[in-house]
Amino acid sequence: MRRFEGRVAIVTGGASGIGAATARLLAQDGATVVVADLNGDAAWETAADIGGTACPVDVADRGAVEAMIAAAVADHGRLDVLVNNAGIGSFGKTPDLDPVEWERVIAIDLHAVFYACRAALPHLIAAKGVVVNTASISGLAGDYGFSAYAAAKAAVINYTRTLAIDHARDGVRVNALCPGLIATPITAGLTQLPDLAAAWHATIPMGRAGTPEEMAQAIAFLASDAASYITGAVLVADGGQTAWTGQPNLFRYLGDA
């Protein structure tokens, strides 16, 4: 039997990148998948491709998120897996960061996770379901110029832990995935800047960006019964980047690299 046969999953930010890869893998493994995304056309396209359904939604809108959860349960009768994957970033030092931009990042990257979990929990408790939150290694340490994003993702990590212990006795598991650099449409523009891709890859021991499909495999594992004793965990998938202190690789200077 496929891992998610008979189960219903919602994937936010599901029309592209990590979200689309996750929606596709869950569907291949038997789940009925609701592809939720601000880009409604792309959501419907992804849903059609995987045999799922689509829900155009602005996850920063609490009412819209609550309606998304209610519609999924009304249409499919249950909810087993919630993947909070939608996210945006911003760039700039604090004095230059427009408060409106800060608030939008926090709303999409953090508040939306709370909105979805709050609305979904009664259904997840009934199904003994699972939440997987896409956080980031930027929530584990700082990055130049990404204050709003880093703050939101750090909060998602600790919210994940708290939600996990609050609802462990309800049979609901909650975990977070912290990707590093992943080759998605969002990062494609950054890595096209002169020398940036090489500099970025040099900070990753594996020497490359991860793929959305690799992140989907990690999310599916956390959502599956194979992870039945794992809750409150923060799984880092970054090619070894955060395992490195950032000090120079002496092998390169001693002739052994």
Side-chain angles (χ1 to χ4, degrees):
M1 182 177 291
R2 295 179 293 176
R3 286 184 292 180
F4 299 102
E5 197 74 47
R7 301 185 191 184
V8 176
I10 296 174
V11 181
T12 69
S16 65
I18 294 171
T22 300
R24 186 172 297 108
L25 180 57
L26 294 178
Q28 289 172 352
D29 258 357
T32 298
V33 181
V34 178
V35 179
D37 203 283
L38 183 63
N39 187 333
D41 290 342
W44 282 110
E45 183 177 341
T46 300
D49 183 52
I50 66 172
T53 61
C55 181
V57 62
D58 180 355
V59 294
D61 181 337
R62 178 169 60 88
V65 172
E66 291 172 350
M68 171 190 74
I69 300 294
V73 174
D75 289 345
H76 304 295
R78 59 187 296 145
L79 179 61
D80 302 271
V81 178
L82 173 63
V83 180
N84 287 306
N85 174 73
I88 61 170
S90 68
F91 184 75
K93 294 182 179 179
T94 293
D96 304 319
L97 188 60
D98 189 326
V100 173
E101 186 175 357
W102 168 278
E103 290 162 5
R104 182 67 175 166
V105 172
I106 298 299
I108 292 173
D109 292 359
L110 175 60
H111 293 170
V113 175
F114 166 74
Y115 298 155
C117 289
R118 184 175 184 273
L121 268 166
H123 310 291
L124 293 172
I125 290 170
K128 306 300 183 188
V130 181
V131 178
V132 182
N133 296 322
T134 302
S136 170
I137 61 170
S138 296
L140 300 170
D143 283 312
Y144 292 104
F146 284 94
S147 56
Y149 182 77
K153 293 302 187 179
V156 167
I157 289 168
N158 227 27
Y159 176 59
T160 296
R161 294 176 176 132
T162 301
L163 199 66
I165 61 175
D166 280 348
H167 295 284
R169 295 295 178 94
D170 294 323
V172 176
R173 296 188 300 105
V174 188
N175 294 294
L177 176 69
C178 288
L181 175 65
I182 307 302
T184 68
I186 292 177
T187 62
L190 289 174
T191 53
Q192 287 174 0
L193 294 174
D195 302 323
L196 180 56
W200 210 326
H201 292 168
T203 70
I204 303 170
M206 290 182 71
R208 65 172 178 86
T211 68
E213 290 73 23
E214 287 172 316
M215 299 306 103
Q217 290 286 352
I219 290 170
F221 164 70
L222 291 172
S224 75
D225 291 342
S228 59
Y229 198 57
I230 300 175
T231 196
V234 179
L235 177 60
V236 175
D238 66 353
Q241 188 171 19
T242 55
W244 180 34
T245 65
Q247 295 186 64
N249 181 352
L250 296 183
F251 289 114
R252 295 176 182 170
Y253 302 93
L254 298 177
D256 294 327

